[in-house]
């Protein structure tokens, strides 16, 4: 894809979803892979017109022998663009064993801890990641397989508080063409091909079949997500109207519609708890008056058309 065409497409996506503002201070998460190198170059070019202040954060997971080379590569490419790059190395395998979590979750947690630390230390506005339309499709399939509602199927968001994803409207073919046509170097993370990870199984087994059915499926996934993003936005508005903070927890006002369940599940998410499934949520909402349930850290009591939600002692 020609440089101007892809950059225009990214800029339109940024404007549509109000991802960046003029003069924003953007911290870019750059691994050195194809997608992140496209993001680095596109945002660097756009910054000339929109006055972005840029910095790069690179996290070295210390898992593969190529990790140190990749860290050095990102530093050199940033130096060419005159962009400050800060990196950190922590062994994600050691951390996963210490915390008793999966290697995938360990790497993700350490990476975001690092990025949010930089955001605060250097007083930047937002973190930009290189998630693209293929990642969006993977997330939708992954969440469908695990079980999710309409709110959850929205997948990745263009902007979510301090996280921005300006490449979500771009597919992997467009990324590859941009790299080739503009002679942009990148590194290949071999772990992306391992079928030990659920997302890689979706990427290498399910998505190629989808491409055979319809080569434009990723663009259609983006259009579908656009509809669901609007639903999600409206659901958030309902959350603000139906949830009241109290000294001991929350009160949820029930309206006997589809959003009762969505609002309750969002309350769990906002309090860093995995929400009950749809069936369990419906049971809570449909309790008889004075009914009581203990879910995660919440004690939930039904009183007429309200749920009294308290933190368990």
């Amino acid at each position: 894809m020609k440089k101007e065409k892809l950059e225009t497409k990214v800029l339109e996506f940024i404007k549509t979803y109000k991802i960046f503002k003029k003069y924003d201070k953007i911290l870019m998460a750059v691994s050195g892979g194809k997608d992140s190198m496209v993001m680095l170059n596109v945002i660097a070019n756009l910054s000339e017109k929109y006055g972005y202040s840029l910095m790069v954060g690179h996290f070295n997971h210390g898992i593969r022998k190529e990790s140190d080379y990749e860290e050095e590569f990102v530093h050199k490419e940033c130096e060419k663009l005159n962009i400050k790059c800060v990196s950190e190395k922590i062994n994600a395998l050691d951390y996963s064993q210490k915390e008793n979590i999966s290697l995938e979750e360990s790497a993700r947690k350490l990476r975001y801890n690092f990025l949010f630390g930089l955001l605060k230390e250097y007083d930047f506005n937002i973190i930009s990641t290189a998630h693209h339309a293929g990642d969006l499709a993977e997330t939708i399939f992954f969440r469908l397989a695990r079980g999710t509602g309409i709110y959850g199927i929205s997948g990745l968001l263009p902007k979510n508080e301090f996280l921005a994803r300006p490449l979500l409207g771009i597919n992997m073919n467009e990324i590859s063409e941009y790299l080739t046509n503009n002679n942009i170097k990148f590194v290949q993370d071999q772990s992306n091909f391992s079928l030990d990870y659920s997302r890689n199984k979706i990427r290498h087994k399910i998505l190629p079949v989808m491409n055979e059915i319809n080569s434009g499926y990723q663009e259609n996934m983006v259009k579908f997500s656009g509809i669901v993003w609007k639903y999600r936005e409206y659901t958030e508005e309902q959350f603000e109207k139906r949830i009241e903070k109290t000294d001991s927890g929350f009160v949820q006002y029930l309206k006997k519609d589809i959003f009762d369940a969505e609002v309750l599940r969002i309350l769990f998410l906002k309090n860093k708890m995995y929400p009950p499934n749809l069936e369990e949520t419906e049971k809570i909402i449909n309790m008889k008056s004075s009914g009581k349930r203990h879910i995660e850290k919440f004690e939930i009591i039904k009183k007429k058309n309200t749920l009294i939600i308290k933190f368990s002692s």
Side-chain angles (χ1 to χ4, degrees):
M1 177 172 269
K2 290 183 178 180
K3 176 179 175 181
E4 294 79 10
K5 187 176 179 182
L6 184 134
E7 290 179 5
T8 299
K9 190 173 179 179
V10 172
L11 182 58
E12 287 175 356
F13 192 83
I14 289 171
K15 289 181 176 179
T16 298
Y17 293 102
K18 299 178 175 61
I19 295 175
F20 300 134
K21 303 185 300 292
K22 205 168 185 179
Y23 307 118
D24 257 350
K25 299 174 72 176
I26 304 169
L27 172 64
M28 293 179 286
V30 177
S31 66
K34 288 183 176 183
D35 44 6
S36 68
M37 291 307 296
V38 167
M39 178 185 70
L40 173 64
N41 282 270
V42 168
I43 301 302
N45 290 335
L46 292 178
S47 71
E48 295 176 8
K49 181 176 180 180
Y50 293 95
Y52 303 140
S53 295
L54 304 178
M55 188 170 80
V56 163
H58 174 85
F59 187 75
N60 182 341
H61 302 99
I63 301 172
R64 296 172 293 103
K65 60 182 180 181
E66 301 89 358
S67 297
D68 291 342
Y69 166 75
E70 290 164 1
E71 181 178 353
E72 183 181 352
F73 168 80
V74 172
H75 274 280
K76 286 181 177 178
E77 293 304 307
C78 289
E79 189 176 334
K80 291 177 185 177
L81 294 169
N82 198 28
I83 296 173
K84 180 181 179 66
C85 177
V86 180
S87 60
E88 181 177 48
K89 180 178 180 179
I90 299 178
N91 191 297
L93 180 59
D94 290 345
Y95 185 81
S96 70
Q97 293 170 345
K98 179 183 175 183
E99 298 295 321
N100 194 28
I101 57 177
S102 70
L103 181 58
E104 199 172 6
E105 178 61 23
S106 170
R108 183 181 183 281
K109 187 174 181 180
L110 287 170
R111 180 170 67 254
Y112 279 107
N113 284 348
F114 164 66
L115 291 170
F116 277 99
L118 287 182
L119 193 74
K120 183 177 180 180
E121 180 181 352
Y122 289 90
D123 192 30
F124 269 57
N125 301 108
I126 197 162
I127 298 167
S128 181
T129 67
H131 293 98
H132 50 79
D135 295 315
L136 180 64
E138 286 174 25
T139 301
I140 290 171
F141 281 114
F142 184 72
R143 292 188 179 181
L144 278 173
R146 292 184 65 184
T148 185
I150 301 174
Y151 182 90
I153 204 178
S154 57
L156 302 168
L157 296 170
K159 187 176 183 180
N160 186 16
E161 295 186 44
F162 296 106
L163 287 174
R165 302 176 180 95
L167 299 191
L168 272 189
I170 305 299
N171 65 45
M172 201 63 218
N173 288 336
E174 291 172 317
I175 286 172
S176 296
E177 288 177 17
Y178 185 86
L179 289 167
T180 301
N181 293 340
N182 296 285
N183 196 29
I184 297 171
K185 296 179 182 178
F186 62 91
V187 293
Q188 193 71 267
D189 183 348
Q190 294 302 316
S191 67
N192 287 333
F193 300 97
S194 171
L195 295 182
D196 292 338
Y197 304 111
S198 298
R199 284 183 176 273
N200 284 358
K201 289 177 183 177
I202 294 171
R203 180 180 303 167
H204 299 297
K205 289 184 173 293
I206 295 176
L207 298 191
V209 176
M210 292 296 297
N211 195 62
E212 290 175 10
I213 296 170
N214 182 0
S215 60
Y217 82 94
Q218 288 189 21
E219 287 77 8
N220 291 334
M221 286 283 192
V222 174
K223 291 176 184 176
F224 167 75
S225 293
I227 296 168
V228 185
W229 290 333
K230 290 179 181 178
Y231 174 91
R232 184 176 176 124
E233 186 178 339
Y234 183 77
T235 306
E236 290 279 357
E237 292 173 4
Q238 293 304 306
F239 178 88
E240 295 299 326
K241 292 177 180 178
R242 302 185 190 199
I243 293 290
E244 180 181 324
K245 184 82 170 65
T246 66
D247 291 339
S248 57
F250 307 90
V251 172
Q252 179 178 345
Y253 298 98
L254 302 176
K255 304 292 184 181
K256 297 182 179 179
D257 60 16
I258 189 174
F259 295 103
D260 284 342
E262 295 279 31
V263 166
L264 181 58
R265 286 167 60 83
I266 294 170
L267 183 63
F268 276 82
L269 290 171
K270 288 184 180 290
N271 284 275
K272 296 182 171 37
M273 288 181 261
Y274 195 78
N277 61 33
L278 188 58
E279 182 181 3
E280 184 66 25
T281 305
E282 293 291 345
K283 286 180 180 179
I284 295 169
I285 290 168
N286 293 321
M287 285 190 298
K288 293 181 179 179
S289 190
S290 76
K292 183 187 295 186
R293 301 290 292 271
H294 288 272
I295 308 289
E296 292 275 348
K297 299 175 184 177
F298 283 147
E299 176 186 76
I300 305 175
I301 302 168
K302 178 79 171 288
K303 285 191 177 180
K304 294 184 178 180
N305 289 324
T306 62
L307 295 177
I308 311 301
I309 303 165
K310 300 178 181 179
F311 287 102
S312 301
S313 55

